[in-house]
Amino acid sequence: MHHQLPPWRNRLGGGFTLIELLVVVAIIGILAALLLPVLAKAKIRAQAIGCMNNTRQLTLAWLVQAGDNADVVLDAGAMATADMRDPSSDDFIDRYNTLAHDPLTAYVGGNVKIYQCPGDTRKSTQAGFLGRSEARSYSMNCYIGGYFKARGITEFLSYVKLADLTRPGPVNTMVLLDEGPSINDSFFLVDMGGFDPQNLPAKRLNDNPATYHNRAGSFSFADGHSEIHKWRVDFNLSGSLVNTSPGNLDVDWLQSKTTAKADRATR
């Protein structure tokens, strides 16, 4: 008895019809639309984790280095000397390997890549080095070390030794952070004006924190932990100094993690 083959059997070897092909393409497009945002978020999250790992390792190196020097901490301005603002400069790509000789590098096994935030997308514009990544993304809290004490500026606490970290305490005193395009040396200057007593209209920035992790930045603290802090507002990332920022609660938070009033503190 003759059996008629079902339609799908008759088309074996004949390829897809146009309609079937269009359906497959449409399904792939839908899946891509669903997956791409998820993959983008996963990439941002992975970069943030990598950045936190970098700042944590550098801070642990900072703590060990202080232990090797009678608890005297590395000064903020001494962590690194290269000026990182100009993408066309030799400093930007560390052409002459200055990071290899900076004080903390020996404590991280010579790994200079640890100074780069994975989310920092700045690239060199120097002829012969186009597209090379920046050498350093991190700076240090300006109140770590004796810069202000040496100049007789004592309104806010300076941290010359680990024992000086009394207020706001090691868990709340930042050591390193992502800095935006204002980054020059390793000295991250925080203007404490309007902090204690609180005066929100007086808030302003000198150096700009970075927003590389979906409007967030990486911070490490003197107890050795690191975290990602989400900003409420967008910072002016032009790289210019002394940006007025009245009412900016992000600046207030940044000040609260920098230092504390030396006398008659109210916060």
Side-chain angles (χ1 to χ4, degrees), residues 3 25 49 68 76 79 90 92 97 100 125 170-171 198 243:
H3 294 284
V25 170
I49 292 171
D68 286 346
M79 184 188 87
D90 288 333
F92 188 85
N97 301 314
T125 60
V171 71
Q198 191 177 52
N243 298 305

Side-chain angles (χ1 to χ4, degrees), residues 83-260:
D83 187 328
M84 298 298 302
R85 282 177 298 184
D86 183 2
S88 67
S89 70
D90 288 333
D91 280 356
F92 188 85
I93 57 172
D94 193 23
R95 185 175 180 183
Y96 299 109
N97 301 314
T98 58
L99 277 174
H101 306 289
D102 284 334
L104 293 183
T105 305
Y107 290 87
V108 292
N111 179 16
V112 296
K113 293 293 184 183
I114 204 172
Y115 293 94
Q116 295 175 322
C117 168
D120 188 345
T121 59
R122 294 176 301 140
K123 303 294 182 182
S124 174
T125 60
Q126 183 180 172
F129 299 97
L130 291 176
R132 185 184 292 191
S133 296
E134 82 301 330
R136 177 172 57 85
S137 308
Y138 307 122
S139 295
M140 187 178 288
N141 178 355
C142 64
Y143 281 88
I144 291 176
Y147 178 88
F148 292 105
K149 272 191 173 182
R151 288 157 179 79
I153 302 171
T154 57
E155 182 182 4
F156 288 89
L157 297 174
S158 290
Y159 308 114
V160 177
K161 303 189 73 172
L162 292 177
D164 295 334
L165 291 159
T166 55
R167 290 185 294 115
V171 71
N172 285 311
T173 303
M174 71 171 179
V175 178
L176 299 172
L177 76 161
D178 275 328
E179 185 173 352
S182 63
I183 186 170
N184 47 10
D185 53 23
S186 58
F187 187 89
F188 187 85
L189 181 57
V190 177
D191 188 327
M192 294 300 294
F195 179 67
D196 192 356
Q198 191 177 52
N199 178 6
L200 289 176
K203 300 296 181 185
R204 66 179 189 172
L205 286 166
N206 287 89
D207 290 336
N208 292 284
T211 59
Y212 297 134
H213 307 296
N214 190 22
R215 282 181 59 180
S218 178
F219 285 81
S220 69
F221 294 83
D223 68 336
H225 88 276
S226 290
E227 64 186 55
I228 296 293
H229 180 75
K230 185 79 170 181
W231 303 114
R232 302 184 186 202
V233 300
D234 287 323
F235 284 108
N236 174 8
L237 297 182
S238 67
S240 61
L241 299 180
V242 191
N243 298 305
T244 59
S245 197
N248 192 332
L249 293 177
D250 285 332
V251 174
D252 194 68
W253 181 89
L254 186 64
Q255 292 171 323
S256 75
K257 305 303 179 185
T258 298
T259 183

